[in-house]
Amino acid sequence: MSLYKFNHGPLLRRSTLAVAMTMGLAGVAFAQSTTGTIFGQAEAGETVTVTGSTGITRSATVDTSGRYRIANLPLGTYSVVLQKDGAAVDTRNNVAITVNAGTEVSFASMSAASSLSAVTVSANALPAIDVSSVDSRTVITSQDLERLPLGRSAESIALLAPGVVAGSGYFGGQTAGSSTVSFGGSSVSENAYYINGYNTTDPLKNLGGIGLPYGAIDQQEIYTGGYSAMYGRSDGGVISQVGKRGTNDWHFGGQVMWSPKFLAEDPRGITYPNAQLPNGYGYTTPALAGTTYRTRDNNVTWNTVYSAYLGGALVKDKLYLFVSAEAEKKNGKTTSTSAASQPYNNYYSYSIPKYYVKLDWNINDTNIVELTGISSKTSYKGDFYKYDYKTQTEGALYAHDTSTKTGSDIYVGKYTSYITDNLTFMATYGQNRAVDYSTVPGLSATLPYLSGVTAQDPAITGGTPIRNGVSTLYVKDPGAHNKTHGLRLDLEYKLGDHTLAAGIDNMHYSAVDEGQQVGGPGYAWYYSKSSKPNVALNPALGVGAPGGNGYYARRLKFVTTTSMAVDQKAQYIEDRWQVTDRWLLSLGLRDDQFTNYNSAGEAYVENKNQWAPRLSFAWDVFGDSTFKVFGNLGRYYLALPNSVAIRGASASTYTFEYFTYTGIDAKTGIPTGLKPLGPGPVSTNDEYGITPDPKSIAASNLKSQYQDEAILGFSKMLGTDWVYGAKGTVRKLQTAIDDVCDADALEAKVIASGIDPDSVEIPGGCLIFNPGENNTFLMKNASGNGYTKVSMSTKDWGFTSGAKRKYVALDLFLEHPFDGKWQGRIDYTFSRSYGNTEGQVLSTIGQDDISKTQDWDTAPLMVNSNGVLSNDRTHQLKAYGTYQVADEWMVSGALRVMSGAPVSCLGYYGPGDTNPSGYGSRYRWCGGKPATLGTIGRLPWTKLLDLGVTYRPNFADKKLAFNFNIFNVLNERKPTVLDATYETAPFTVSNTYDTPLYQTTPRYGRFSVTYDF
């Protein structure tokens, strides 16, 4: 849609703090669980008992093959005791487990022991490789978060993982300052977010998700592939956070963090390009070329964060509490472009309160209840002061920016029952109540928004644009909100060498009054100029040439507000089979069902029996946990989020009406003396406010988007202190969903099929389909009785191929886990993401109409589309580490070096600058030449270096810490997004084409003081 294992290891096994970071491949593959596992070897018939800091005690008998496994343990530290004939003969203390990781604690045979006196060992060495894992992930612990210089968001943490890149600056996350990320070539909306096992992804568009207060994060997992059949609804990646919990020891603490204004650097200012244009082309306003487009002087942000926590036992060994709260205030200034309807300085502020509460009740040793409450909100407001670009002076307050409040209140309950030593049942239920409020203080109800004022006819304005002070184009319904609730039931049974699991995973999403509309009187005016005045502006829609000097105006009407719902259900089975001491095989099967409903509660997309097989293995090559080879084959289905109903299954209005004009009102900026250039309001996608038939809006045989993935890799100890490895990944998109908007092609097929076109209602708007598949559509009979089926092939639409997206990557790494002195890791990824379909969004123009992008709307729009994709980064180098330089001092650093994304240019069609689909400058042509992504250049490499230093004085028993971080030390301010729209009319180049719209964040510093008791 157009838019704008088990193994024979040594006696002293290593503690597990960094198991999950080793190779980034750890765990038992339960992707969004909140527990870990302790396993190992001992003499058959002996008993192993674990006792945790959270009061839980569990035991297991070593089986006849000399193995034991105690699964589904809450995160914390444990004492692991080997008992023979009821007496403790060996103990490992301070064993820290990692979420989803198998932590090995093996014991030498006690059969030859001359005494049963206990042997106690504190586990404090480096971890062995976790050979019980089959997935691909990185786990960052709270200790890592304390040491490393990182941004305070889930996405900033995720960028440490190999193959994860920042998404386009067009797309923002759910919390102020957070961005979106791309995993393995997938688009930014194809990821899933979890907190304590509950899905916290944006319930409307699936863009980003809610995260915990930074100090409440115990561990964060970043899945980049190969995860269990227990989880789905993501073909990109998964960000899963597990919050801290209380223990038998009370702890409290707090932190003050300050990023001052004086340490923040300005972004680069921007000038209008002044390029050598192809023959026959000219700028829309030649006089603007080379002049100031946007000043960024003093465009900086500063903030303060106050946080505190408290945790401990309300009843020892029984009832635990952990509470964390965080309040962030962020302020800043930004200057608009000189082309804004009214140039301004915006003085803005964010208020970002968060809290996290967790209660853990050990009813007894076999039953546990966990209750979690999470709140994360972002409130924003801004004040506009007039800015004069000629005099570079600021004037009076004239308007307010759109005030918004977004975020969620989330409540999660989990019940775990260890029915027997081999049988565990878990039930998780949660709710997410999301707010999506916005309003514009003082917005005029009569004055329209004006766009393109620098393209007003100077014969009327005298060269000085006429403005009216309206700064906001779109508004939302202030009652907009979203709700979700979900239920998971999981059953796990250990039967000999098999660990069997089965369960259900259901989610329901509902949204009320979402969408947007033009503010003020309900319309906006767009001024423009054609350098070819006698060429029709949009002949496909009957819009003619402006004539004269080429000046014209368009009146926009846009309304998309609606309500909708989605049901997502799934069932799974899985068998983790320890085939031999060295071979682990995981076999899983998942079945997903998705149903999307429009505002009337009618289903317009319903997908069932979507079988997703998963096959994984892990091979402990030497049988001593020093060399692992692993692999995965899997299929992953992706649901359509709620927002698909907006401009898809619900009524929407999106029209332009074209005029020439002879005057402009000096007060309102509205053109006068109007002469129509077309038949009236016209809509490229037939959006005239009519609700589409839910049975006709989508192909009746529509398949969900799904992707197949293959991974093969290894990790190996290098001596006793290092680990290195490699992983190869191939991902292939098998089916995509988008919309197609070519009613003429549909009507031609109706006629070719021998059907009287007057006997059926042929949809005039856009239809949801699978590009490249044979899609069957139901068209309502004109008689009112039933529907007629019409099947459309790829050829029928005029396309030459279906949707294609493939990602291939080689990841290499070398790591020294933290040994009390230092840690370090370096990753290099060589990758290629290519095809003709980015996924559910379109980064070239920032289009977040999920699965309704302008791609696939018509055949001409897909010409020259097969190349590299927007999230392609050929080279990625990531390194991070910490070093204890002295007893009280630690330094840290993080480095990301990355090649640039491909540059996009979208212009009119072909050498003749035609407009066959009526989309204007939206074709993959640039100056009359093909402009496939990757063929006209790339953005520059980026090199981001962040450094930190921490001082923990002995006089405060190291409970007090002073920290300073500096981000983007080199102050690189490279463009990350360029304006891709080449023309404003045929042969008329946009003055803003190729200007940087987003840059890397300039250098800034951050101080903090922390106290932990």
Side-chain angles (χ1 to χ4, degrees):
M1 180 173 290
S2 70
L3 175 72
Y4 270 102
K5 142 202 153 117
F6 297 116
N7 63 77
H8 303 283
L11 172 62
L12 298 180
R13 304 311 292 165
R14 301 162 181 256
S15 89
T16 63
L17 173 62
V19 167
M21 293 187 65
T22 302
M23 180 60 181
L25 305 164
V28 294
F30 299 167
Q32 283 78 57
S33 80
T34 61
T35 61
T37 297
I38 293 177
F39 72 95
Q41 287 197 311
E43 185 175 340
E46 295 174 343
T47 301
V48 177
T49 299
V50 300
T51 302
S53 56
T54 57
I56 188 171
T57 298
R58 291 191 61 205
S59 299
T61 301
V62 182
D63 64 23
T64 56
S65 60
R67 301 191 296 266
Y68 78 93
R69 179 175 182 267
I70 304 175
N72 299 307
L73 295 170
L75 296 188
T77 58
Y78 287 82
S79 293
V80 185
V81 180
L82 178 68
Q83 295 173 307
K84 186 178 181 66
D85 298 328
V89 294
D90 202 352
T91 301
R92 305 287 188 270
N93 289 329
N94 300 321
V95 176
I97 66 173
T98 302
V99 62
N100 290 328
T103 300
E104 185 183 359
V105 181
S106 292
F107 299 88
S109 172
M110 293 291 112
S111 60
S114 60
S115 170
L116 292 181
S117 59
V119 177
T120 300
V121 178
S122 292
N124 56 10
L126 296 178
I129 293 169
D130 177 17
V131 293
S132 71
S133 68
V134 292
D135 52 41
S136 295
R137 67 190 176 112
T138 298
V139 176
I140 304 299
T141 68
S142 58
Q143 293 90 341
D144 301 317
L145 297 179
E146 290 176 1
R147 293 190 288 251
L148 293 170
L150 297 173
R152 295 173 62 85
S153 69
E155 293 83 4
S156 296
I157 301 169
L159 288 173
L160 294 176
V164 181
V165 302
S168 168
Y170 279 121
F171 308 119
Q174 291 301 101
T175 304
S178 68
S179 58
T180 56
V181 289
S182 168
F183 287 71
S186 297
S187 73
V188 296
S189 66
E190 299 174 29
N191 309 319
Y193 288 67
Y194 289 81
I195 295 177
N196 287 357
Y198 187 73
N199 193 312
T200 63
T201 316
D202 167 25
L204 182 62
K205 294 185 176 182
N206 222 63
L207 285 168
I210 296 299
L212 287 167
Y214 199 76
I217 302 171
D218 191 331
Q219 299 177 24
Q220 176 171 315
E221 303 171 277
I222 307 110
Y223 282 85
T224 56
Y227 44 92
S228 161
M230 296 177 70
Y231 299 94
R233 302 170 193 152
S234 163
D235 64 3
V238 174
I239 295 175
S240 180
Q241 293 183 340
V242 180
K244 294 179 179 179
R245 61 177 67 205
T247 68
N248 277 326
D249 297 322
W250 279 94
H251 296 274
F252 65 86
Q255 183 180 61
V256 177
M257 187 171 293
W258 177 42
S259 297
K261 182 178 180 180
F262 69 85
L263 285 179
E265 299 286 345
D266 298 340
R268 289 189 184 278
I270 304 168
T271 60
Y272 283 103
N274 189 11
Q276 182 68 43
L277 302 180
N279 289 334
Y281 288 79
Y283 279 117
T284 304
T285 307
L288 291 178
T291 65
T292 299
Y293 173 63
R294 188 177 188 183
T295 182
R296 305 303 301 273
D297 293 342
N298 297 314
N299 282 203
V300 298
T301 300
W302 59 99
N303 74 327
T304 55
V305 182
Y306 302 90
S307 62
Y309 72 91
L310 173 70
L314 298 175
V315 180
K316 186 177 181 181
D317 293 333
K318 286 291 185 181
L319 186 61
Y320 300 90
L321 170 70
F322 187 90
V323 181
S324 175
E326 177 180 290
E328 179 176 2
K329 294 288 186 179
K330 181 182 295 186
N331 297 277
K333 170 195 169 185
T334 184
T335 305
S336 76
T337 69
S338 58
S341 58
Q342 169 61 63
Y344 58 81
N345 283 331
N346 179 15
Y347 294 89
Y348 60 86
S349 65
Y350 290 91
S351 175
I352 313 170
K354 297 180 181 182
Y355 74 74
Y356 167 77
V357 180
K358 193 169 193 299
L359 280 172
D360 295 272
W361 179 23
N362 299 334
I363 302 173
N364 50 44
D365 283 344
T366 58
N367 294 279
I368 300 173
V369 171
E370 304 172 48
L371 300 176
T372 303
I374 306 157
S375 180
S376 179
K377 304 285 180 60
T378 298
S379 297
Y380 167 86
K381 63 180 181 180
D383 297 321
F384 291 155
Y385 291 79
K386 290 182 179 180
Y387 183 77
D388 189 321
Y389 265 88
K390 291 182 179 179
T391 63
Q392 299 183 28
T393 58
E394 180 178 286
L397 171 72
Y398 81 93
H400 303 282
D401 198 0
T402 302
S403 295
T404 62
K405 186 175 183 179
T406 59
S408 292
D409 292 311
I410 300 170
Y411 309 94
V412 184
K414 181 180 180 181
Y415 169 68
T416 303
S417 179
Y418 306 106
I419 300 171
T420 70
D421 288 345
N422 295 320
L423 181 63
T424 303
F425 170 73
M426 291 171 287
T428 304
Y429 177 79
Q431 292 187 354
N432 181 348
R433 301 173 185 175
V435 61
D436 189 12
Y437 171 83
S438 74
T439 187
V440 185
L443 182 66
S444 172
T446 58
L447 293 177
Y449 178 86
L450 306 177
S451 178
V453 294
T454 57
Q456 292 171 343
D457 188 347
I460 298 173
T461 67
T464 301
I466 298 174
R467 301 178 162 100
N468 64 10
V470 176
S471 58
T472 302
L473 173 57
Y474 294 124
V475 296
K476 290 176 62 74
D477 189 302
H481 63 277
N482 297 267
K483 291 182 179 180
T484 72
H485 63 261
L487 174 66
R488 280 197 65 100
L489 301 177
D490 300 279
L491 193 66
E492 181 188 287
Y493 181 56
K494 188 177 186 301
L495 181 63
D497 292 329
H498 298 265
T499 300
L500 307 174
I504 64 171
D505 176 13
N506 297 341
M507 293 291 294
H508 175 78
Y509 300 82
S510 63
V512 177
D513 293 335
E514 288 288 2
Q516 58 186 357
Q517 59 195 51
V518 175
Y523 58 83
W525 282 100
Y526 282 64
Y527 289 96
S528 195
K529 177 185 181 294
S530 173
S531 64
K532 300 280 185 178
N534 297 321
V535 176
L537 296 172
N538 201 329
L541 295 177
V543 180
N549 292 323
Y551 292 97
Y552 65 97
R554 297 176 293 161
R555 183 163 53 199
L556 167 69
K557 292 185 177 181
F558 185 83
V559 182
T560 66
T561 303
T562 189
S563 300
M564 56 236 138
V566 178
D567 277 326
Q568 301 177 6
K569 299 179 179 180
Q571 307 80 41
Y572 76 91
I573 57 173
E574 187 171 71
D575 178 13
R576 288 175 55 83
W577 179 19
Q578 192 70 51
V579 182
T580 70
D581 285 349
R582 300 187 183 189
W583 282 90
L584 172 67
L585 187 65
S586 178
L587 302 163
L589 184 64
R590 180 182 177 90
D591 180 22
D592 279 294
Q593 304 98 47
F594 308 138
T595 306
N596 292 66
Y597 302 92
N598 64 10
S599 57
E602 301 167 310
Y604 65 93
V605 170
E606 189 169 10
N607 298 112
K608 296 181 179 180
N609 299 322
Q610 300 175 119
W611 300 99
R614 313 279 171 85
L615 171 64
S616 306
F617 76 90
W619 175 29
D620 182 8
V621 179
F622 298 144
D624 60 0
S625 301
T626 63
F627 183 16
K628 180 181 76 170
V629 177
F630 64 96
N632 311 98
L633 288 173
R635 173 164 292 177
Y636 303 87
Y637 280 91
L638 188 66
L640 287 172
N642 246 330
S643 65
V644 175
I646 302 173
R647 300 186 67 208
S650 299
S652 61
T653 300
Y654 186 16
T655 64
F656 276 107
E657 194 169 2
Y658 292 72
F659 304 90
T660 57
Y661 56 93
T662 58
I664 300 175
D665 188 279
K667 292 182 178 181
T668 67
I670 297 175
T672 60
L674 301 177
K675 179 181 179 181
L677 291 176
V682 295
S683 175
T684 301
N685 300 135
D686 204 36
E687 293 179 79
Y688 294 103
I690 300 172
T691 301
D693 187 332
K695 292 185 178 180
S696 301
I697 193 64
S700 61
N701 59 339
L702 187 76
K703 300 177 183 178
S704 291
Q705 177 170 320
Y706 73 94
Q707 180 171 265
D708 289 339
E709 177 185 74
I711 297 174
L712 183 63
F714 77 90
S715 53
K716 192 177 186 303
M717 299 290 291
L718 181 63
T720 59
D721 298 331
W722 294 83
V723 183
Y724 71 98
K727 180 185 69 172
T729 302
V730 177
R731 288 178 157 189
K732 185 177 181 181
L733 183 68
Q734 300 290 13
T735 297
I737 295 179
D738 214 303
D739 63 344
V740 60
C741 310
D742 193 344
D744 291 341
L746 185 59
E747 182 176 3
K749 184 59 183 286
V750 168
I751 296 171
S753 301
I755 302 169
D756 181 357
D758 293 329
S759 69
V760 294
E761 296 180 6
I762 301 175
C766 300
L767 305 174
I768 300 170
F769 83 133
N770 298 130
E773 303 281 340
N774 285 326
N775 294 268
T776 299
F777 297 96
L778 300 178
M779 292 182 293
K780 192 173 184 177
N781 294 328
S783 65
N785 296 319
Y787 294 80
T788 295
K789 292 183 178 181
V790 175
S791 180
M792 294 289 290
S793 68
T794 301
K795 184 178 179 181
D796 291 334
W797 293 115
F799 300 118
T800 59
S801 69
K804 296 185 291 185
R805 185 181 74 191
K806 196 170 184 178
Y807 173 81
V808 294
L810 175 64
D811 298 309
L812 310 173
F813 86 98
L814 176 66
E815 181 180 16
H816 184 289
F818 192 68
D819 60 359
K821 181 70 174 178
W822 73 286
Q823 75 174 109
R825 179 175 174 116
I826 184 169
D827 291 273
Y828 168 73
T829 301
F830 174 85
S831 65
R832 181 71 70 184
S833 179
Y834 57 95
N836 60 13
T837 298
E838 178 186 350
Q840 293 184 324
V841 303
L842 191 59
S843 293
T844 53
I845 60 171
Q847 189 175 8
D848 63 355
D849 287 323
I850 307 299
S851 290
K852 307 188 308 297
T853 70
Q854 69 178 32
D855 281 357
W856 301 105
D857 282 9
T858 69
L861 290 167
M862 293 305 292
V863 174
N864 303 321
S865 62
N866 193 30
V868 297
L869 298 172
S870 292
N871 293 310
D872 179 67
R873 306 291 188 274
T874 306
H875 304 283
Q876 302 171 47
L877 179 68
K878 301 180 180 183
Y880 58 88
T882 60
Y883 185 74
Q884 193 80 41
V885 294
D887 182 45
E888 299 176 314
W889 292 89
M890 174 176 282
V891 295
S892 59
L895 172 69
R896 300 200 315 274
V897 179
M898 198 167 301
S899 57
V903 170
S904 175
C905 181
L906 301 173
Y908 278 77
Y909 187 87
D913 255 29
T914 61
N915 189 11
S917 303
Y919 278 54
S921 188
R922 284 290 183 266
Y923 306 93
R924 291 173 168 91
W925 292 83
C926 194
K929 296 181 180 180
T932 304
L933 271 179
T935 62
I936 59 173
R938 285 185 176 262
L939 290 166
W941 284 60
T942 57
K943 301 180 288 296
L944 299 177
L945 174 64
D946 306 326
L947 298 176
V949 58
T950 301
Y951 170 58
R952 289 185 176 272
N954 286 324
F955 71 79
D957 199 23
K958 296 189 176 179
K959 296 174 181 177
L960 180 66
F962 301 90
N963 177 269
F964 175 67
N965 297 136
I966 185 165
F967 297 91
N968 191 2
V969 174
L970 304 177
N971 197 28
E972 281 212 341
R973 296 172 293 175
K974 298 292 182 64
T976 58
V977 176
L978 300 177
D979 185 353
T981 302
Y982 188 64
E983 295 168 279
T984 58
F987 303 99
T988 308
V989 178
S990 168
N991 285 95
T992 62
Y993 168 70
D994 217 29
T995 58
L997 302 181
Y998 296 91
Q999 306 176 25
T1000 52
T1001 302
R1003 181 171 57 223
Y1004 69 98
R1006 186 177 72 192
F1007 298 96
S1008 67
V1009 180
T1010 306
Y1011 184 79
D1012 298 285
F1013 180 81

